[in-house]
Amino acid sequence: MAKPLVAIVGRPNVGKSTFFNKVVGKKLSIVEDFPGVTRDRLYADAEWCGKSFTLVDTGGLELKSTDEMWSHIQKQAEIAIETADIIILFADAKAGLTGADGDIAMKLRKSGKPVVLAVNKLDNYNPDKLYEFYNLGLGEPFGISAEHGTGIGDLLDEVTAKFGALHTENDDDSIKIAIVGKPNAGKSSLCNKLLGFDRTIVSDIAGTTRDAIDTDFVFNGEKFTIIDTAGIRKKSSVNEDLEYYSVLRALGAIRRADVCVMMIDASVGITEQDVKICGYIHEQNKPSVIAMNKWDTIEKDTNTINKFNAELNEALKFMDYILPVYVSAKTGLRNDKILGLCKLALENSRKRISAGQLNDLILDCVRANEPPSMNGRRLKISYVTQAEGVPPTFIIFVNDARLLHFSYKRYLENCLRKAYDFSGTPIKIVTREKNDDI
């Protein structure tokens, strides 16, 4: 299940970025006292009272401005509103209710998305300063001070309380597969071939697909949703506004997919941009399949696939769990294998291992290769358990988390992968000291 996407919107300079930084715990968003600093959306994962979500910071909305920069920022914010599950509208207690606040509130009401109203810069709490904001028609305003951190807990309680209804309303049991890659890698051709009809325009001109297109279908009695996306270019290659926002939607499609099919043009080979897209898929902890397309155009011998596999493994060292398949979207070669591999990757990402089996395995691994000591102290592993959720996450309780070196954690991950099939999915190892709560 994808994490709920929570977008922060509002006029310029109402404290959105300060709130964003406070919630995610990092200074990811630039904070200044003049408007227009946050020009692009920023994503970060956050958690409140055990509920995980993705927070999106946006530039300030100036709906009536004709300035080119504000027009760009407005389009960014509109995409955030379009893709968000829940929206936090920020207003300024010091400035009071403005006409621009009313314009934005009207736009949000038309979107039909759940909206929580935050009135920021209420450094000294005074409920009298909140009454006028009821006129926005968005329910109870929450008075906060993002700078001082007051009132944020109540606001996040209200936001996360809406998650339950959101899941009930939006969830379905189809497997959502995002087909992603560079422009002209054959994404739309593969989509059409899998569906059996021309759902999207196919052209040799890169950039034909401008948006993420969802299509439901049934295969062997199972429901799937194919998400065909725009090609993801390098930032320096993206000039048109329309294409720029299409790329952002493609990245959003990765976040909401259950499985990603990464299309790579085999006739070109794996490029730096392919590696970056794979890195984004990996960062989002998504199970994936690597489809090497245009295989019909490659001159082959008995060692060709081994050569390509070696190149993939070298370029994608951080994804040593890859499931490669060599296809031709044009001729249909091995296209029938893609859905099966997607199912395998998804099943592996949901695999559960019993605590008893895990602890026996880790004990054997430690006996075979004891952890190194540091300053006369040696790491001791008390026990291991698997947490709920996707991807598979294993919590290792130790005497001192600082003693678990990255290389030894990697060794333990390799042991897990050798013992159990986690191909196609990342796995996470989390270290806790024995007295920590789960």
Side-chain angles (χ1 to χ4, degrees):
M1 180 184 297
K3 294 178 182 178
L5 197 64
V6 180
I8 312 165
V9 300
R11 294 185 295 107
N13 205 31
V14 291
K16 299 183 299 297
S17 296
T18 302
F19 172 79
F20 177 87
N21 292 338
K22 185 74 72 173
V23 173
V24 303
K26 300 175 184 177
K27 285 197 173 182
L28 299 178
S29 190
I30 301 169
V31 180
E32 294 290 351
D33 288 333
F34 54 89
V37 174
T38 307
R39 300 197 178 188
D40 292 328
R41 290 180 296 156
L42 281 176
Y43 289 97
D45 292 329
E47 184 177 318
W48 179 253
C49 294
K51 296 180 180 179
S52 297
F53 57 96
T54 300
L55 198 62
V56 187
D57 188 19
T58 68
L61 277 170
E62 287 277 11
L63 298 183
K64 295 182 179 179
S65 174
T66 57
D67 182 86
E68 183 177 349
M69 185 191 76
W70 286 117
S71 174
H72 174 84
I73 293 173
Q74 181 180 328
K75 288 180 182 178
Q76 284 273 37
E78 285 175 348
I79 291 172
I81 292 169
E82 177 188 325
T83 57
D85 297 306
I86 296 171
I87 299 164
I88 303 176
L89 172 59
F90 259 61
D92 186 338
K94 291 181 179 178
L97 182 63
T98 68
D101 292 326
D103 293 339
I104 298 170
M106 183 181 296
K107 186 178 185 69
L108 296 182
R109 287 198 301 271
K110 289 180 180 178
S111 75
K113 301 288 180 73
V115 181
V116 179
L117 176 57
V119 181
N120 192 29
K121 303 185 183 179
L122 199 65
D123 299 338
N124 297 310
Y125 187 79
N126 182 355
D128 293 342
K129 293 187 176 182
L130 298 177
Y131 294 143
E132 62 178 328
F133 292 95
Y134 280 96
N135 292 320
L136 294 176
L138 297 174
E140 179 185 358
F142 287 80
I144 70 167
S145 171
E147 184 176 357
H148 300 294
T150 56
I152 290 179
D154 291 339
L155 176 65
L156 292 178
D157 283 343
E158 179 68 14
V159 171
T160 55
K162 296 182 181 296
F163 289 174
L166 182 71
H167 294 159
T168 301
E169 181 180 338
N170 293 340
D171 281 356
D172 59 59
D173 55 357
S174 68
I175 299 174
K176 296 175 181 59
I177 302 173
I179 303 177
V180 298
K182 294 189 307 180
N184 209 28
K187 300 179 295 299
S188 295
S189 296
L190 177 64
C191 178
N192 292 339
K193 191 67 77 171
L194 291 175
L195 294 171
F197 62 93
D198 290 345
R199 175 64 179 84
T200 53
I201 300 170
V202 178
S203 169
D204 289 334
I205 301 172
T208 306
T209 302
R210 294 289 194 175
D211 210 342
I213 303 172
D214 291 24
T215 308
D216 299 326
F217 71 102
V218 177
F219 180 75
N220 287 343
E222 288 194 82
K223 292 191 286 186
F224 294 85
T225 300
I226 292 288
I227 310 171
D228 184 25
T229 64
I232 304 174
R233 297 179 188 266
K234 292 181 181 179
K235 277 190 176 181
S236 58
S237 303
V238 179
N239 296 317
E240 299 178 56
D241 272 354
L242 181 60
E243 185 178 353
Y244 182 67
Y245 303 119
S246 297
V247 169
L248 293 177
R249 286 193 177 96
L251 295 177
I254 292 174
R255 299 180 70 87
R256 64 187 173 91
D258 296 315
V259 188
C260 295
V261 175
M262 174 62 194
M263 298 285 289
I264 297 176
D265 187 340
S267 64
V268 176
I270 187 164
T271 66
E272 180 183 356
Q273 181 66 359
D274 292 321
V275 173
K276 286 182 178 179
I277 299 170
C278 288
Y280 189 82
I281 294 171
H282 177 73
E283 287 173 3
Q284 299 306 312
N285 293 314
K286 297 295 181 180
S288 59
V289 173
I290 307 294
M292 298 295 289
N293 191 27
K294 305 183 184 181
W295 194 240
D296 56 312
T297 66
I298 302 297
E299 292 187 13
K300 307 171 191 69
D301 56 35
T302 55
N303 198 44
T304 304
I305 284 186
N306 291 335
K307 177 186 174 184
F308 272 81
N309 281 340
E311 290 177 358
L312 282 174
N313 290 330
E314 177 63 26
L316 303 177
K317 288 179 179 178
F318 57 91
M319 290 177 73
D320 55 359
Y321 51 84
I322 62 171
L323 278 173
V325 59
Y326 294 85
V327 304
S328 170
K330 183 177 180 180
T331 67
L333 175 69
R334 298 194 189 93
N335 289 355
D336 57 328
K337 295 183 179 295
I338 291 176
L339 293 181
L341 289 174
C342 286
K343 280 187 60 182
L344 173 62
L346 185 59
E347 288 167 3
N348 286 344
S349 75
R350 296 171 174 174
K351 184 173 292 182
R352 300 280 305 171
I353 312 298
S354 72
Q357 290 176 308
L358 278 176
N359 283 280
D360 287 345
L361 171 64
I362 296 300
L363 180 61
D364 289 342
C365 294
V366 172
R367 284 172 176 166
N369 181 13
E370 285 196 0
S373 60
M374 183 184 299
N375 297 326
R377 297 192 67 201
R378 189 176 295 278
L379 177 77
K380 294 181 180 178
I381 297 176
S382 300
Y383 60 98
V384 186
T385 186
Q386 184 175 356
E388 295 289 341
V390 175
T393 301
F394 302 96
I395 303 175
I396 300 181
F397 287 83
V398 299
N399 58 332
D400 188 341
R402 294 170 297 180
L403 299 176
L404 182 56
H405 190 269
F406 169 79
S407 60
Y408 198 76
K409 184 184 285 189
R410 186 75 171 178
Y411 163 70
L412 295 177
E413 179 180 336
N414 290 337
C415 290
L416 285 165
R417 289 192 179 278
K418 286 179 182 177
Y420 302 100
D421 183 11
F422 287 113
S423 56
T425 180
I427 64 176
K428 293 169 66 178
I429 294 179
V430 179
T431 310
R432 297 273 180 87
E433 294 186 3
K434 192 175 179 181
N435 58 352
D436 285 352
D437 294 327
I438 296 179

